[in-house]
Amino acid sequence: MSEAGESPTDNPKDEPSAVQSPPEDIGSNEEKKKIDVLLKAVGDTPIMKTKKWAVERGRTVQSLSLFISRFLKLEPSEQLFIYVNQSFAPSPDQEVGVLFECFGSDGKLVLHYCKSQAWG
Amino acid sequence: MSGAWDVGLGGLDEDAFLQCCELFLQHARSLDDGWSWGRLNGSDEGFLKKTVLVTGKINTEAPDGTSRPAEDLDMLGEDVQDGGPDDAEGTPAPPSAAAVIRYEYHVLYSRSFQTPTLYFRASTLDGRSLSLEEIWDGVHSNYRQRLLHAPWDSITQQEHPLLGQPFFVLHPCRTQQFMSPVLEAARNQNRSLNYIVSWLSTVGPAVGLHIPLSYATASSEPSGLDPD
């Protein structure tokens, strides 16, 4: 379902990698370093071609937001918001690993993103 | 909460505002995270309020050009050097230092926009109000560029409608716009949602106000469904 991700940024190593196949099972007791994130668009926001990403647990919401904004080529005036449970915006400093612990299910974290001219 | 969504697609009426605030406060009390209800004597109107202490950057030069003593924090122990977006015009930024800042946040209902509105003010520990420039320094980097895109429309200084004192305000004119897809999704899925929680979690972090994750699940249910 998911294809190889493009490398839109300077440091492809640091960016979320697209899930090309089901994540390897390294053993049920071992914490995987990356978590699976499913990105869903809200409202008029463009849909990302690649929706499923493997993201380092320590990545912040802000970092992910920046990645999505660049991927979607948002205008400077457009703000991106990310939601868990489709209704709550976690702090930009929040780590996705923590979000996964609290809101993940079926082995993935579903995040909704929405672009908006939120200010002014 | 019948009728809560009958106003503009992204707004809420005043009754719904009060109900959402009450649920918000119930969860706040269980966390003891500092929110309370503010009200003037003899008035029915009220607002959510919270005060926090944060570390941030203040200017150390007084308006008349003399140096203001900077608060010295052993914990931080470093002076924040000047140099930021303001340098673009070529004038040197005023000297600044790290300091403890008191931020006070109020959530009031706006009848004209039919949304909540976030009022805030900040001062140093010795009581000096922060300038607009210093407030902008405190805006979270995740939002800074977009807020700066229309600075005069996004953070403005206004008189607090109930207290009559100067506060900064996150202008609410776009609130309905970004809230409506959130509300619509909840409506379509028959899911209850606390407008205040959704809205405040979205705008609060821009000005230093962070809402703990537990609000995401706790405060849309009426009390009596308390988990252990």
Side-chain angles (χ1 to χ4, degrees):
Chain A
M1 157 181 264
S2 51
E3 58 226 57
E6 298 151 7
S7 288
T9 64
D10 300 328
N11 295 318
K13 250 178 141 178
D14 296 337
E15 293 303 329
S17 51
V19 176
Q20 298 172 15
S21 58
E24 285 173 11
D25 188 15
I26 24 181
S28 53
N29 288 334
E30 210 177 323
E31 261 193 43
K32 293 188 232 181
K33 269 188 75 183
K34 291 193 173 191
I35 54 140
D36 291 336
V37 173
L38 184 61
L39 296 174
K40 293 191 169 182
V42 173
D44 293 338
T45 313
I47 299 171
M48 288 178 76
K49 228 170 40 156
T50 305
K51 298 177 182 54
K52 208 168 168 203
W53 297 87
V55 183
E56 297 261 347
R57 283 175 180 268
R59 282 292 282 266
T60 61
V61 168
Q62 174 171 6
S63 163
L64 198 57
S65 182
L66 192 60
F67 173 74
I68 298 171
S69 300
R70 285 180 178 157
F71 203 94
L72 296 178
K73 298 183 170 56
L74 293 196
E75 298 290 318
S77 59
E78 291 175 316
Q79 180 75 53
L80 193 83
F81 294 119
I82 291 181
Y83 295 95
V84 293
N85 282 1
Q86 276 185 262
S87 61
F88 182 87
S91 161
D93 304 325
Q94 189 62 263
E95 293 181 0
V96 296
V98 174
L99 295 182
F100 178 77
E101 298 303 322
C102 297
F103 302 101
S105 65
D106 295 333
K108 63 183 185 304
L109 173 67
V110 176
L111 294 177
H112 286 81
Y113 63 91
C114 185
K115 75 163 182 175
S116 170
Q117 308 252 4
W119 313 111
Chain B
M1 285 186 230
S2 65
W5 320 126
D6 289 348
V7 300
L9 285 177
L12 81 173
D13 68 27
E14 197 161 359
D15 282 341
F17 169 80
L18 292 170
Q19 288 175 43
C20 289
C21 286
E22 177 53 40
L23 288 171
F24 183 94
L25 280 170
Q26 281 175 17
H27 187 65
R29 285 180 210 119
S30 74
L31 293 183
D32 198 20
D33 78 340
W35 286 98
S36 63
W37 187 247
R39 188 167 38 188
L40 297 180
N41 284 335
S43 165
D44 280 338
E45 295 180 72
F47 48 93
L48 291 171
K49 64 175 181 159
K50 177 176 178 175
T51 298
V52 296
L53 295 179
V54 300
T55 50
K57 191 173 105 172
I58 59 166
N59 293 336
T60 48
E61 196 172 279
D64 62 2
T66 60
S67 262
R68 215 193 279 285
E71 287 171 5
D72 197 5
L73 290 180
D74 291 327
M75 278 197 329
L76 291 184
E78 61 175 299
D79 278 339
V80 177
Q81 291 307 310
D82 53 34
D86 300 330
D87 279 350
E89 279 134 44
T91 51
S96 59
V100 176
I101 300 170
R102 176 186 288 113
Y103 267 84
E104 192 179 345
Y105 301 99
H106 291 196
V107 173
L108 278 83
Y109 183 71
S110 163
R111 289 192 184 121
S112 36
F113 289 97
Q114 296 187 310
T115 63
T117 312
L118 184 59
Y119 287 74
F120 62 102
R121 61 181 171 186
S123 59
T124 61
L125 290 185
D126 62 5
R128 174 177 77 74
S129 296
L130 260 61
S131 65
L132 183 59
E133 180 192 1
E134 288 167 320
I135 293 286
W136 274 107
D137 277 340
V139 169
H140 195 288
S141 57
N142 189 52
Y143 311 90
R144 202 188 171 89
Q145 185 189 353
R146 282 74 175 184
L147 274 159
L148 281 171
H149 194 82
W152 310 122
D153 294 330
S154 52
I155 296 180
T156 59
Q157 193 159 26
Q158 285 180 27
E159 197 178 276
H160 189 289
L162 297 181
L163 302 180
Q165 295 162 14
F167 270 71
F168 293 100
V169 183
L170 272 185
H171 205 279
C173 64
R174 302 272 190 176
T175 298
Q176 288 219 18
Q177 202 177 81
F178 71 78
M179 284 299 294
S180 68
V182 176
L183 296 182
E184 191 178 334
R187 258 198 301 270
N188 291 342
Q189 295 160 27
N190 244 344
R191 191 171 25 92
S192 71
L193 175 150
N194 186 311
Y195 190 110
I196 297 286
V197 171
S198 290
W199 163 80
L200 198 53
S201 67
T202 306
V203 301
V207 291
L209 179 60
H210 299 274
I211 307 295
L213 289 177
S214 64
Y215 278 90
T217 43
S219 53
S220 55
E221 300 294 338
S223 64
L225 297 179
D226 262 339
D228 289 332

